[in-house]
Amino acid sequence: MSERRVLIVGGGFAGLNVAKALSNRAGVSVTLIDRQNHHLFQPLLYQVAMAALSPADIAAPIRSILSRSRNVRVLQAEARSVDLKSRAVLTDAGTFGYDALVLACGATHAYFGHEEWEPHAPGLKSLPQATEIRRRVLSAFETAERIQDAGEQERWLTFAIIGGGPTGVELAGAIAEMGRHTLARDFRNVDPRRTRVLLLEAGPRILPAFQEKQAQRATRDLQGMGVQVRVDARVTKVSADGVDIGAEHVRAATVLWAAGVRAAPIARSLGVELDNAGRVLVEADLSVPGYPQVFVAGDLARALDIETGKPLPGVATVAQQQGKYVGKLLRDDPSVRQPFRYKNEGQLATIGRSHAIAELKHFNFAGRPAWWLWLLVHIYGLTGFRNRLTVLVQWAWSYFTFGRGARLIVPPEWREYPAPETPSERTTR
Amino acid sequence: MSERRVLIVGGGFAGLNVAKALSNRAGVSVTLIDRQNHHLFQPLLYQVAMAALSPADIAAPIRSILSRSRNVRVLQAEARSVDLKSRAVLTDAGTFGYDALVLACGATHAYFGHEEWEPHAPGLKSLPQATEIRRRVLSAFETAERIQDAGEQERWLTFAIIGGGPTGVELAGAIAEMGRHTLARDFRNVDPRRTRVLLLEAGPRILPAFQEKQAQRATRDLQGMGVQVRVDARVTKVSADGVDIGAEHVRAATVLWAAGVRAAPIARSLGVELDNAGRVLVEADLSVPGYPQVFVAGDLARALDIETGKPLPGVATVAQQQGKYVGKLLRDDPSVRQPFRYKNEGQLATIGRSHAIAELKHFNFAGRPAWWLWLLVHIYGLTGFRNRLTVLVQWAWSYFTFGRGARLIVPPEWREYPAPETPSERTTR
């Protein structure tokens, strides 16, 4: 009997856990493709954008994570579409056949039909986006220092963050801290403590996934740090000058987008039912209806919580648990499949230095204890010993000095050079 | 009496040391402009290119280094030309007048009239160049893994480094190590141990600045690591397919340039005598002939060693000492200026794990002791406590695991977005 070919598309939390569950399993040959060479620890991506960590601190090469899984092959390639009928995935490096397929390509940010806003309000989903946001935020202070016009200085010191979910809250808190502490003494012409941060949420309150009381606490913490939290503030226009909230225009040189996500476009090629956000409506076992050997996991899947009947949130723990679940299904190939059951350990959101909120199964808390818990959980979650240790060192340094270790403005000046041509000649094997 | 305005162009080793020497000096107001926001620890730049360190590990914001120097203003701006007659420097952020000027803009790599080679053979002078080299080297292995044609695989696993100075030696050693150790077990389709590294030097031996015996030792060490060292190998063509050495064509998908530098083009605007490499021929006190209040320091200056009469090399210690010297001159304003005297503490070159060569004043040595000295000197030299500690952690991790912590291929995908407009309205004050 020949080996069973499992194809995994995406090396995020979901895909990586599928591969790990199948590691060195006899009779199974696994191919994992990802357009990046690295797995990214998404929950800390905002720290790269906020100059606290370096890209390499939160990323590790997928092939090095799986180097001891001798039956797993990792290829850097971009999946373009899936042909369910002929059991093949088309990529920029050729076509890959499969016996079982796991799609775990994640999501990107969405502008709800206003794609023209993207150049003015970058979102935060990838490392290049994170370093671009870092460049913009740090450059805004540099520009304010360089110019003399008071009105323009104010515009360069105004930061608008659109979207009051965990990412928006993290970004708003971090920029406020930067102005108040990190940069406070480094400028001569402007005072970074004049930094104005607006957190704009279209809904009636920030952090809608959390309980009302916790969201109120987060709002108070943000306000204490100088952030203007505005709810029911629906943004109607984003331009180079700033944002419009209905009839009101706010001048802000830096606008960041943390308002919405959309599943990777490859889902559309399946030809099956998707939800509003482009996610695949999966069965209880995370398979695609009618295709028991095709699974969708992570942010690309719209799976329902088996207990509450509500859609599962797009967070790392859901993706991890789904990956493990699918990996076990493929490994054991049971005749009767138990449905996927999300084990909710609670949720955390960090606001800034010593401020966070935590909702665990049986009790909630906030402030410094929640912040320490957040630190612990994220250090523990980081892949690889070295990243964990360097991140600890950097956090300890930041905590005691209020400094940020990665205050680099790196221009994307390599534009002028063409990327070396990378041939693609693989076909279905 | 009004304050004396000192203008420093460039925040490298030379410029930074001028500013430090003038820190909080009464009666002196200092403006330091640099087109980057960060000071770069150049001697470790190759480690960023070789995926061992992150950009932020070897860089620190200039304004944070000088944050306690209340009389120093730091501005991110690019100097375009100098008008010696009207005592002004033209930048992209307006014109700056001065009473005394220090030009310390460094050097960039030069292709000796073959600028068309640059896209195929990037040099290593800035952080974007380092991350581009990292991307190319790591991507070459990824591509070899993805394709099936044996000849093409060989081409993707061949790396040619042009130039046998310290940078070329460091790059060659690091790529050989990567293939032999770091990546050895991570691929399935190719064996990275088949990696072929060529170090091409046009002259009769590598490391011409070192003594013959030390260069021989370095050659043996490189050969022991699998590097093919070729001297008297003058490259006559660089293309996407590889390099030509006279009539011989070597197929190599990745070519790196470590063969020559040229002073920053701003030197030409001075209208004074330059040497072949575009450097300013300075007086014994590093001033520009005829302009005792205009100094040139670091790689932009061609200064002669007062003892040997030979030009000083373009290394960090020369730039540092020159910066300190100019800073003291400007601070004390002596009626008689003592000439600049370079205090040569010796030189070091590292070849790879546990291999280095050292030439100190009275004796030379090589191997592991030289390598430990190299580590010590570079850790000590890093600016800022945090960088020093994280670099130590990463080096320790690499030493014991043969791993590289920054194996990230980050695409320059942010190309699509325009940089935010940064106004410039400053004029001579």
Side-chain angles (χ1 to χ4, degrees):
Chain A
M1 202 184 112
S2 72
E3 291 199 318
R4 188 149 171 253
R5 297 168 308 165
V6 174
L7 180 61
I8 304 168
V9 182
F13 288 116
L16 201 56
N17 277 291
V18 176
K20 280 181 179 169
L22 294 170
S23 176
N24 298 320
R25 179 77 177 176
V28 178
S29 113
V30 178
T31 301
L32 188 156
I33 65 175
D34 195 298
R35 62 196 171 122
Q36 310 288 4
N37 81 325
H38 51 267
H39 168 74
L40 182 63
F41 193 77
Q42 285 263 6
L44 290 178
L45 189 57
Y46 85 97
Q47 294 228 345
V48 174
M50 295 293 105
L53 293 178
S54 284
D57 295 329
I58 61 158
I62 299 170
R63 66 171 72 260
S64 116
I65 299 173
L66 297 171
S67 111
R68 279 173 195 175
S69 308
R70 302 305 299 179
N71 66 329
V72 179
R73 208 171 41 148
V74 178
L75 290 174
Q76 196 183 354
E78 183 160 2
R80 299 258 161 88
S81 64
V82 181
D83 185 341
L84 289 173
K85 294 283 172 305
S86 65
R87 295 189 168 197
V89 173
L90 192 82
T91 79
D92 63 350
T95 303
F96 294 79
Y98 61 81
D99 298 315
L101 173 67
V102 184
L103 279 182
C105 319
T108 180
H109 43 273
Y111 291 85
F112 311 124
H114 288 285
E115 309 307 317
E116 74 277 12
W117 294 354
E118 185 166 15
H120 309 301
L124 182 62
K125 272 284 166 186
S126 70
L127 282 175
Q129 287 163 353
T131 48
E132 171 66 11
I133 288 176
R134 181 201 291 180
R135 189 182 72 73
R136 290 192 186 199
V137 171
L138 296 177
S139 294
F141 289 101
E142 296 293 331
T143 304
E145 173 80 352
R146 202 162 54 205
I147 61 182
Q148 302 299 334
D149 181 285
E152 272 297 288
Q153 280 180 343
E154 201 181 308
R155 189 173 81 85
W156 282 99
L157 291 182
T158 303
F159 299 82
I161 291 110
I162 304 174
T167 301
V169 167
E170 284 162 352
L171 290 173
I175 295 176
E177 273 187 347
M178 232 189 260
R180 284 205 161 186
H181 299 294
T182 317
L183 305 178
R185 287 186 313 189
D186 288 5
F187 291 80
R188 305 286 179 263
N189 193 26
V190 294
D191 184 350
R193 279 167 292 202
R194 279 164 46 204
T195 303
R196 191 176 159 216
V197 183
L198 288 95
L199 181 63
L200 306 173
E201 165 60 42
R205 66 176 176 95
I206 62 167
L207 297 170
F210 285 76
Q211 291 172 20
E212 175 101 40
K213 199 176 150 236
Q214 295 291 87
Q216 281 170 359
R217 168 69 187 251
T219 303
R220 281 199 309 276
D221 284 349
L222 282 167
Q223 287 165 340
M225 295 160 73
V227 175
Q228 298 174 29
V229 180
R230 295 185 51 177
V231 294
D232 295 316
R234 183 170 294 276
V235 170
T236 49
K237 191 183 161 193
V238 182
S239 68
D241 191 74
V243 293
D244 286 7
I245 307 157
E248 178 190 358
H249 179 65
V250 178
R251 299 191 75 209
T254 311
V255 183
L256 305 179
W257 186 261
V261 293
R262 160 161 280 283
I266 197 172
R268 289 200 296 267
S269 73
L270 292 170
V272 299
E273 199 182 347
L274 309 179
D275 72 357
N276 282 339
R279 295 179 300 176
V280 179
L281 271 58
V282 291
E283 302 281 7
D285 63 357
L286 306 181
S287 68
V288 173
Y291 296 90
Q293 293 304 320
V294 178
F295 299 87
V296 183
D299 287 359
L300 197 65
R302 180 180 169 276
L304 300 181
D305 190 317
I306 200 166
E307 278 166 24
T308 65
K310 285 193 226 163
L312 290 169
V315 296
T317 46
V318 170
Q320 278 167 331
Q321 292 181 27
Q322 288 182 335
K324 277 180 203 164
Y325 167 85
V326 171
K328 271 187 200 155
L329 268 194
L330 289 169
R331 190 183 65 194
D332 307 335
D333 202 11
S335 50
V336 178
R337 292 180 181 177
Q338 298 297 322
F340 171 71
R341 186 178 293 273
Y342 176 51
K343 208 172 137 199
N344 190 348
E345 306 281 11
Q347 56 181 349
L348 289 162
T350 181
I351 298 140
R353 192 182 162 76
S354 304
H355 293 101
I357 55 174
E359 287 182 11
L360 302 192
K361 208 156 188 176
H362 299 296
F363 75 118
N364 303 333
F365 55 107
R368 200 177 288 265
W371 188 72
W372 281 108
L373 180 65
W374 182 91
L375 278 187
L376 208 72
V377 165
H378 286 81
I379 280 286
Y380 181 79
L382 273 177
T383 308
F385 159 78
R386 174 224 162 226
N387 287 348
R388 226 177 273 176
L389 192 54
T390 51
V391 168
L392 256 183
V393 167
Q394 277 158 232
W395 282 352
W397 183 84
S398 300
Y399 186 79
F400 291 113
T401 65
F402 288 92
R404 279 170 194 270
R407 272 170 60 190
L408 288 195
I409 302 177
V410 180
E413 79 177 26
W414 204 260
R415 280 174 199 187
E416 47 199 308
Y417 302 106
E421 32 146 2
T422 53
S424 61
E425 51 167 73
R426 176 176 295 283
T427 47
T428 320
R429 49 178 209 129
Chain B
M1 201 185 112
S2 72
E3 290 199 320
R4 186 149 173 253
R5 296 167 310 164
V6 174
L7 179 61
I8 303 167
V9 182
F13 287 117
L16 202 56
N17 277 292
V18 176
K20 280 181 179 170
L22 294 170
S23 175
N24 297 320
R25 179 79 178 176
V28 178
S29 112
V30 178
T31 301
L32 188 156
I33 66 173
D34 195 297
R35 61 193 171 124
Q36 310 289 4
N37 81 324
H38 51 269
H39 168 73
L40 182 63
F41 193 76
Q42 285 263 8
L44 289 178
L45 190 56
Y46 86 97
Q47 293 228 345
V48 174
M50 295 293 104
L53 293 178
S54 283
D57 295 329
I58 61 158
I62 299 170
R63 65 170 71 260
S64 117
I65 300 173
L66 296 170
S67 110
R68 282 175 192 173
S69 307
R70 303 307 297 179
N71 65 330
V72 179
R73 208 172 42 146
V74 178
L75 289 176
Q76 196 183 352
E78 184 161 0
R80 299 258 163 89
S81 64
V82 181
D83 186 341
L84 289 174
K85 293 284 171 307
S86 65
R87 297 190 168 196
V89 173
L90 192 82
T91 78
D92 63 347
T95 302
F96 293 79
Y98 61 82
D99 298 316
L101 172 67
V102 184
L103 278 183
C105 319
T108 179
H109 42 273
Y111 291 84
F112 312 123
H114 288 286
E115 310 306 319
E116 75 277 10
W117 293 354
E118 185 167 15
H120 308 303
L124 182 62
K125 272 283 166 188
S126 70
L127 282 175
Q129 286 163 354
T131 49
E132 171 66 11
I133 289 177
R134 181 201 291 180
R135 190 182 72 73
R136 289 192 188 199
V137 171
L138 296 176
S139 294
F141 290 101
E142 296 294 330
T143 304
E145 173 81 351
R146 205 161 52 204
I147 61 181
Q148 303 298 334
D149 181 283
E152 272 296 289
Q153 280 181 343
E154 202 182 308
R155 190 173 81 84
W156 283 99
L157 291 182
T158 303
F159 299 82
I161 291 110
I162 304 174
T167 302
V169 168
E170 284 162 351
L171 291 173
I175 295 176
E177 272 187 348
M178 231 189 259
R180 284 204 160 186
H181 299 297
T182 317
L183 305 177
R185 287 188 312 191
D186 287 6
F187 291 80
R188 303 287 178 263
N189 193 28
V190 294
D191 183 351
R193 279 167 292 200
R194 280 165 45 205
T195 303
R196 193 177 158 214
V197 183
L198 288 93
L199 181 62
L200 306 173
E201 165 60 41
R205 67 176 176 94
I206 61 168
L207 298 170
F210 285 77
Q211 291 171 20
E212 175 99 39
K213 201 178 149 232
Q214 294 291 87
Q216 280 170 0
R217 167 71 186 250
T219 302
R220 282 200 307 276
D221 283 350
L222 283 168
Q223 286 166 341
M225 295 160 73
V227 175
Q228 298 173 29
V229 180
R230 295 186 51 177
V231 294
D232 295 318
R234 183 171 293 276
V235 171
T236 49
K237 191 183 162 194
V238 182
S239 68
D241 191 71
V243 293
D244 286 6
I245 307 156
E248 180 191 355
H249 179 66
V250 177
R251 299 192 74 210
T254 312
V255 183
L256 305 179
W257 187 261
V261 295
R262 160 161 281 283
I266 196 171
R268 288 200 296 267
S269 72
L270 292 170
V272 300
E273 199 182 346
L274 309 180
D275 73 355
N276 282 339
R279 296 179 299 176
V280 179
L281 271 57
V282 292
E283 303 280 8
D285 64 354
L286 305 181
S287 68
V288 173
Y291 297 90
Q293 293 304 320
V294 177
F295 298 87
V296 183
D299 288 356
L300 197 64
R302 182 178 167 276
L304 299 181
D305 191 316
I306 200 166
E307 278 165 25
T308 65
K310 286 194 228 162
L312 291 168
V315 296
T317 46
V318 170
Q320 280 167 331
Q321 291 182 27
Q322 289 183 335
K324 277 180 201 162
Y325 167 85
V326 171
K328 270 187 200 155
L329 268 194
L330 289 169
R331 190 184 65 197
D332 305 335
D333 204 11
S335 49
V336 178
R337 291 181 182 177
Q338 297 298 322
F340 171 70
R341 186 179 292 276
Y342 176 51
K343 209 172 135 200
N344 191 348
E345 307 279 12
Q347 57 180 349
L348 289 163
T350 180
I351 298 142
R353 189 183 166 77
S354 304
H355 294 101
I357 53 174
E359 286 183 9
L360 302 193
K361 209 157 189 176
H362 299 296
F363 74 117
N364 304 331
F365 54 108
R368 202 179 287 266
W371 189 71
W372 281 108
L373 179 65
W374 181 92
L375 279 186
L376 208 72
V377 165
H378 287 82
I379 281 289
Y380 181 76
L382 275 177
T383 309
F385 158 78
R386 174 228 162 223
N387 286 349
R388 225 177 276 177
L389 192 54
T390 52
V391 168
L392 255 184
V393 167
Q394 276 158 232
W395 282 353
W397 183 83
S398 300
Y399 185 79
F400 292 113
T401 65
F402 288 92
R404 280 171 192 270
R407 272 170 60 191
L408 288 194
I409 302 176
V410 180
E413 78 176 28
W414 203 259
R415 282 173 197 187
E416 47 199 307
Y417 302 104
E421 32 144 1
T422 53
S424 60
E425 50 166 75
R426 173 176 297 281
T427 47
T428 318
R429 51 179 208 128

